[in-house]
Amino acid sequence: MLRIVKAGSGLDTIDLEACERRGITVSRTGGSETSVAELTLALMLACLREISRLDQSVRARNFAAKTGAIGGTLDGRTVGIVGFGAIGAKVAKLLAGFGAHILVFDRSIHQTDKRTILTALGATPNFDLDTLLKKAQVLTLHVPLTPATRGLIDERRLSLLPSNAILVNTARAALVDRLALEEALVQKRLTAAGLDVHFEEDGVTNSRLLDLPNVISTPHVGAQTYEAQEAVAGRIVSLIADTRNRLELA
């Protein structure tokens, strides 16, 4: 029995069709849900309060930057969550504590476990993505990258967002059309974006996103907390032990 164990949740870096042809089992560990969800909220707050810009101003001893620095709160804000798996659900639970109005789009939102969580949080399910986008003052993405979701948030869908909207992406960069996102930020049709994932993560990129003042970026560190790494390592060991036991019983 052959098995590939992916640390985390995204399987877009693995050729699943080739694994299926060769009889290779592919498993994901999960374990980083809380860490990714907390970074998602951190990026939301950083965008709403312009923390990066204001930090730079204070370091330059420019306390006059306080003038006109009027941010926003998550309390009372409408946040659209696209994808309600383990990470999306955790984001919703954290947002509920901030008093946000939560909208959720998920292709399997009819599942009992997901509807139970939505009901407990007072979140509103949306069966049409465009309807959610028209209301979302903050949009956060938590779906896997597949052929169906690549470029999911394109120019047309970005144009549906309210004019003061913020986009946060801690999932995969290619869920969003890069040129459309750049243009929306340059034209200030989007107020800001908080990005933990990027189109090129090898240090060589010509993307304008990294030069825009209304973009706050982190280098794909959503899962990089001590707690998440410990949980992931434990699950890897458990999956390896499970594979060994199956082989011994075969």
Side-chain angles (χ1 to χ4, degrees):
M1 176 182 178
L2 296 176
R3 187 175 215 163
I4 293 175
V5 177
K6 172 64 187 293
S9 57
L11 297 179
D12 53 286
T13 56
I14 298 173
D15 189 333
L16 298 178
E17 292 183 358
C19 289
E20 185 176 4
R21 289 196 303 270
R22 290 166 173 77
I24 301 172
T25 300
V26 179
S27 303
R28 66 187 95 196
T29 65
S32 60
E33 296 85 2
T34 296
S35 296
V36 175
E38 289 187 358
L39 180 62
T40 299
L41 261 71
L43 288 170
M44 289 181 190
L45 292 167
C47 288
L48 285 168
R49 299 304 299 270
E50 296 187 88
I51 289 176
S52 180
R53 180 181 72 83
L54 295 175
D55 172 72
Q56 292 174 20
S57 296
V58 172
R59 290 176 185 275
R61 309 311 193 256
N62 176 22
F63 285 84
K66 176 180 179 179
T67 304
I70 306 297
T73 66
L74 282 173
D75 185 19
R77 216 168 204 83
T78 299
V79 180
I81 301 174
V82 178
F84 204 64
I87 296 173
K90 185 65 178 180
V91 169
K93 291 177 183 178
L94 295 175
L95 285 169
F98 277 84
H101 177 43
I102 305 165
L103 307 179
V104 173
F105 173 81
D106 187 287
R107 296 188 186 280
S108 57
I109 203 65
H110 59 278
Q111 292 180 1
T112 301
D113 57 339
K114 294 184 178 182
R115 294 303 292 270
T116 299
I117 296 172
L118 284 171
T119 300
L121 295 174
T124 303
N126 283 251
F127 297 96
D128 178 69
L129 177 57
D130 287 2
T131 300
L132 177 146
L133 294 174
K134 292 174 183 178
K135 301 175 181 178
Q137 295 171 295
V138 178
L139 178 67
T140 181
L141 307 178
H142 301 286
V143 292
L145 180 61
T146 67
T149 61
R150 183 176 294 275
L152 179 69
I153 306 301
D154 56 13
E155 181 179 10
R156 183 187 70 81
R157 285 187 165 140
L158 283 172
S159 72
L160 297 176
L161 292 166
S163 58
N164 64 341
I166 289 168
L167 170 70
V168 174
N169 190 0
T170 56
R172 290 293 186 269
L175 296 172
V176 185
D177 182 288
R178 173 166 59 181
L179 295 179
L181 177 58
E182 289 176 355
E183 193 62 24
L185 288 162
V186 168
Q187 298 297 327
K188 303 293 178 66
R189 294 196 302 272
L190 272 181
T191 296
L195 308 175
D196 184 47
V197 287
H198 307 277
F199 293 92
E200 294 93 12
E201 296 185 355
D202 57 1
V204 180
T205 177
N206 294 318
S207 175
R208 288 189 294 171
L209 291 171
L210 301 183
D211 299 319
L212 297 178
N214 52 346
V215 173
I216 295 178
S217 298
T218 49
H220 206 158
V221 294
Q224 290 184 218
T225 63
Y226 289 110
E227 294 82 359
Q229 295 299 297
E230 183 176 358
V232 168
R235 295 183 188 189
I236 290 173
V237 170
S238 295
L239 286 167
I240 291 173
D242 175 69
T243 301
R244 183 187 63 188
N245 291 337
R246 289 171 182 265
L247 289 171
E248 290 176 349
L249 292 173

